[in-house]
């Protein structure tokens, strides 16, 4: 979006108004693929029946089904894989212009203001990979041979601080991707085949981007990557994520800093100390564990199990008191027995996660588990997923009750999508978009709240996942 905006395109969220339609796709599980294909077909109708002249498909579905998309959906004019982002301009038929001094714009509505046009020297370098990635490549981890139509070259692209961005997350909050790709061997996952080998953005590039974001008004930064806890290993950094957090936390004006997607055995003492040390690093850890039964985890090629995870969680809670923990699990992995599910449920009961997601196993071609026997029937998978969610619902309800009476700092996010009588907000214990909500039903001393401002508030009511709060004062 940033590249298009900077090159002169006017962006609109209304497909019926657009001349060029871009569908950004996902393809890591079946439901994501289906949603992507449905959206492409819906947009194709705007071309055949509406005013759109061009349809571009971008993202992971292109990495997987490049030729197939063009063959089966003739309305598609161009495809742009995850490794060729900058070719979006050529696909759209727009001439590139030099990179801007300030590469950020905020997506506020239909039209956007243009940034400055002076060029900065390009700093993008081909990444050097980790030995682990090279080793896994030799073992065939990234192969796409059976994927007809996939480009044989793995993506190597990384954006840098000079790449124009258009923030679609408002003025206050922004995601910053610190690394791309993944070298882990998880047998249910095709993300490494789609995104390529693990590679980190340069340390200075991330810091420069974060500084500019904060200078332009952003107050919350969420660091992302397929595996954030490996950050810097390919750059020769030890405890790279902790070093990066340490540096970013010094940015004046940055109120909340967090990272998502920690790999369980990469949570070091230094990382925890860093989270504990800085007031502006959110006391929040997202660590997808995928399962708790050692047998299933072994078959997933992730290792460990409930006992080790409980020790890790104990260490995390001791180092950062009050930290909110999020995880996600997959149920129905091939060979998963009723006993494995019992181990998982016992673990969930004992671990008391603040936030938890459960995914049904999706059997992906190209993933190691695809060829495994003892597949679990779909109905059993669904029943296991529902049971685990129900169990967590009770745990969450009890935990949220303990929030009542607590004073928290809230980021006001605007009127509730459910009713205009309430506003919604988040605390440092809620990552953007994925966790429960804080509904604000009492503005306290204020007639109106301001979106993107921080307030002190008292939690007055608790539900299963959400809580209700009363604003007390502004949080300075
Ligand atoms: S660590 Fe995450 S992205 Fe990497 S292979 Fe495992 S599940 Fe996939």
């Amino acid at each position: 979006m940033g590249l298009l905006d900077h090159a002169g395109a006017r962006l609109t969220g209304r497909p019926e108004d657009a001349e060029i339609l871009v569908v950004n796709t996902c393809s890591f599980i079946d439901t994501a693929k289906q949603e992507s294909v449905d959206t492409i077909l819906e947009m194709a109708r705007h071309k055949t029946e509406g005013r759109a002249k061009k349809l571009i498909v971008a993202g992971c579905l292109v990495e997987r089904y490049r030729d197939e998309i063009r063959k089966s959906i003739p309305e598609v004019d161009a495809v742009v894989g995850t490794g060729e982002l900058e070719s979006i301009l050529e696909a759209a038929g727009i001439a590139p212009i030099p990179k801007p001094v300030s590469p950020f714009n905020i997506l506020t509505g239909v039209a956007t203001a243009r940034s400055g046009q002076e060029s900065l020297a390009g700093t993008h370098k081909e990444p050097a990979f980790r030995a682990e990635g090279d080793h896994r490549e030799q073992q065939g981890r990234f192969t796409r041979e059976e994927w007809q139509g996939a480009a044989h070259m793995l993506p190597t692209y990384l954006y840098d601080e000079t790449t124009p961005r258009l923030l679609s997350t408002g003025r206050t909050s922004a995601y910053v991707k610190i690394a791309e790709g993944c070298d882990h061997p998880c047998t249910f996952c095709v993300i490494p085949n789609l995104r390529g080998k693990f590679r980190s953005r340069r340390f200075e590039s991330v810091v420069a981007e974060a500084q500019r974001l904060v200078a332009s008004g952003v107050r919350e930064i969420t660091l992302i990557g397929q595996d954030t806890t490996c950050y810097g290993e390919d750059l020769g950094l030890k405890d790279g994520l902790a070093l990066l957090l340490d540096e970013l936390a010094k940015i004046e004006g940055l109120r909340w800093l967090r990272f998502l997607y920690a790999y369980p055995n990469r949570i070091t003492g230094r990382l925890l100390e860093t989270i504990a040390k800085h007031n502006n690093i959110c006391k929040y850890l997202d660590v997808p564990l995928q399962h708790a039964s050692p047998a299933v985890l072994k078959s997933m090629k992730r290792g460990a199990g409930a006992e080790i995870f409980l020790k890790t969680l104990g260490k995390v809670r001791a180092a950062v008191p009050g930290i909110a923990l999020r995880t996600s699990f997959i149920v129905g992995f091939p060979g998963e027995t009723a006993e494995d599910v019992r181990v998982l449920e016992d673990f969930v009961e004992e671990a008391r996660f603040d936030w938890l997601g459960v995914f049904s196993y999706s059997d992906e071609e190209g993933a190691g588990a695809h060829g495994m026997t003892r597949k679990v029937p779909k109905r059993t998978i669904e029943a296991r997923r529902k049971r685990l969610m129900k169990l967590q619902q009770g745990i969450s309800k009890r935990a949220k009750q303990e929030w009542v009476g607590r004073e928290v700092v809230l980021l006001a996010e605007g009127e509730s999508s459910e009713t205009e009588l309430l506003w919604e907000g988040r605390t440092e214990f809620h990552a953007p978009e994925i966790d429960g909500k804080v509904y604000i039903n009492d503005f306290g001393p204020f007639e109106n709240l301001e979106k993107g401002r921080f307030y002190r508030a008292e939690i007055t009511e608790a539900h299963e996942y959400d809580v209700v709060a009363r604003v007390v004062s502004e949080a300075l």
Side-chain angles (χ1 to χ4, degrees), residues 74-363:
E75 291 86 353
V76 174
D77 297 284
V79 291
V80 178
T82 59
E84 46 198 15
L85 244 66
E86 289 179 4
S87 73
I88 188 86
L89 296 178
E90 195 189 327
I94 298 173
I97 56 173
K99 285 180 174 177
V101 170
S102 168
F104 307 117
N105 267 343
I106 315 281
L107 185 60
T108 48
V110 175
T112 55
R114 216 65 74 227
S115 343
Q117 298 188 0
E118 198 179 303
S119 164
L120 273 186
T123 47
H124 177 69
K125 289 195 196 106
E126 279 299 304
F129 300 109
R130 301 154 73 221
E132 200 170 331
D134 293 338
H135 173 66
R136 293 259 150 74
E137 187 171 26
Q138 281 158 18
Q139 294 176 328
R141 175 59 175 124
F142 303 97
T143 182
R144 298 162 160 214
E145 266 161 29
E146 283 163 27
W147 288 3
Q148 283 171 17
H152 289 289
M153 284 286 291
L154 284 172
T156 57
Y157 180 80
L158 272 177
Y159 81 99
D160 65 30
E161 77 283 10
T162 65
T163 309
R165 285 188 64 183
L166 192 65
L167 300 184
S168 58
T169 43
R171 289 181 184 281
T172 314
S173 188
Y175 292 100
V176 170
K177 185 171 262 195
I178 59 172
E180 258 298 357
C182 179
D183 295 338
H184 288 290
C186 312
T187 50
F188 52 83
C189 183
V190 291
I191 289 175
N193 311 51
L194 294 168
R195 291 270 164 180
K197 290 155 80 175
F198 178 84
R199 57 222 186 255
S200 304
R201 282 182 58 195
R202 287 181 311 109
F203 194 93
E204 301 76 17
S205 171
V206 178
V207 175
E209 183 185 6
Q211 282 168 338
R212 286 197 193 148
L213 281 167
V214 175
S216 71
V218 165
R219 295 291 168 260
E220 178 187 32
I221 288 181
T222 303
L223 305 180
I224 52 167
Q226 275 81 48
D227 176 8
T228 48
T229 39
C230 274
Y231 176 77
E233 285 189 15
D234 50 330
L235 306 173
L237 296 175
K238 192 171 168 327
D239 266 315
L241 180 61
L243 295 175
L244 184 65
L245 288 167
D246 237 339
E247 196 58 33
L248 296 177
K250 290 180 199 152
I251 300 175
E252 192 92 18
L254 178 58
R255 288 191 79 140
W256 283 351
L257 171 63
R258 72 178 86 229
F259 59 95
L260 301 180
Y261 323 128
Y263 197 83
N265 68 5
R266 292 284 202 299
I267 301 168
T268 63
R270 172 85 192 262
L271 181 60
L272 296 174
E273 272 165 35
T274 309
I275 300 173
K277 185 167 86 185
H278 296 280
N279 282 338
N280 60 353
I281 299 186
C282 298
K283 307 302 172 251
Y284 181 97
L285 184 70
D286 168 42
V287 52
L289 296 174
Q290 314 300 3
H291 214 283
S293 155
V296 176
L297 284 162
K298 187 170 177 217
S299 188
M300 286 177 164
K301 286 207 181 161
R302 289 180 62 93
E307 212 177 301
I308 295 175
F309 289 158
L310 284 171
K311 274 194 195 137
T312 306
L313 299 180
K315 201 171 88 179
V316 172
R317 284 177 166 135
V320 191
I323 193 166
L325 294 172
R326 177 177 188 87
T327 195
S328 53
F329 295 114
I330 295 173
V331 288
F333 187 80
E336 182 189 65
T337 61
E339 173 58 16
D340 293 319
V341 178
R342 194 193 55 75
V343 172
L344 178 56
E345 287 176 352
D346 286 353
F347 171 68
V348 165
E349 190 84 65
E350 203 169 339
R352 294 172 293 106
F353 290 100
D354 297 273
W355 313 113
L356 185 154
V358 187
F359 292 91
S360 300
Y361 171 74
S362 176
D363 199 32

Side-chain angles (χ1 to χ4, degrees), residues 312-444:
T312 306
L313 299 180
K315 201 171 88 179
V316 172
R317 284 177 166 135
V320 191
I323 193 166
L325 294 172
R326 177 177 188 87
T327 195
S328 53
F329 295 114
I330 295 173
V331 288
F333 187 80
E336 182 189 65
T337 61
E339 173 58 16
D340 293 319
V341 178
R342 194 193 55 75
V343 172
L344 178 56
E345 287 176 352
D346 286 353
F347 171 68
V348 165
E349 190 84 65
E350 203 169 339
R352 294 172 293 106
F353 290 100
D354 297 273
W355 313 113
L356 185 154
V358 187
F359 292 91
S360 300
Y361 171 74
S362 176
D363 199 32
E364 294 305 314
E365 260 178 62
H370 187 63
M372 289 182 186
T373 53
R374 297 168 62 215
K375 297 266 159 71
V376 180
K378 277 212 162 78
R379 280 179 57 182
T380 312
I381 296 180
E382 206 32 43
R384 288 175 181 177
R385 194 186 70 80
K386 281 195 182 140
R387 253 190 40 198
L388 198 56
M389 283 313 292
K390 186 96 194 131
L391 173 67
Q392 174 63 16
Q393 202 176 38
I395 296 168
S396 175
K397 194 175 174 182
R398 288 194 293 279
K400 298 294 168 295
Q401 290 294 340
E402 287 170 22
W403 285 37
V404 177
R406 263 168 81 172
E407 196 171 295
V408 290
V409 172
L410 268 186
L411 167 63
E413 293 197 298
E415 235 170 52
S416 163
S417 49
E418 280 155 43
T419 160
E420 57 190 37
L421 300 174
L422 299 172
W423 265 52
E424 285 177 11
R426 275 188 299 116
T427 70
E428 67 174 305
F429 311 113
H430 298 81
E433 296 175 271
I434 41 175
D435 299 322
K437 287 182 175 152
V438 182
Y439 291 108
I440 310 164
N441 67 353
D442 184 342
F443 292 178

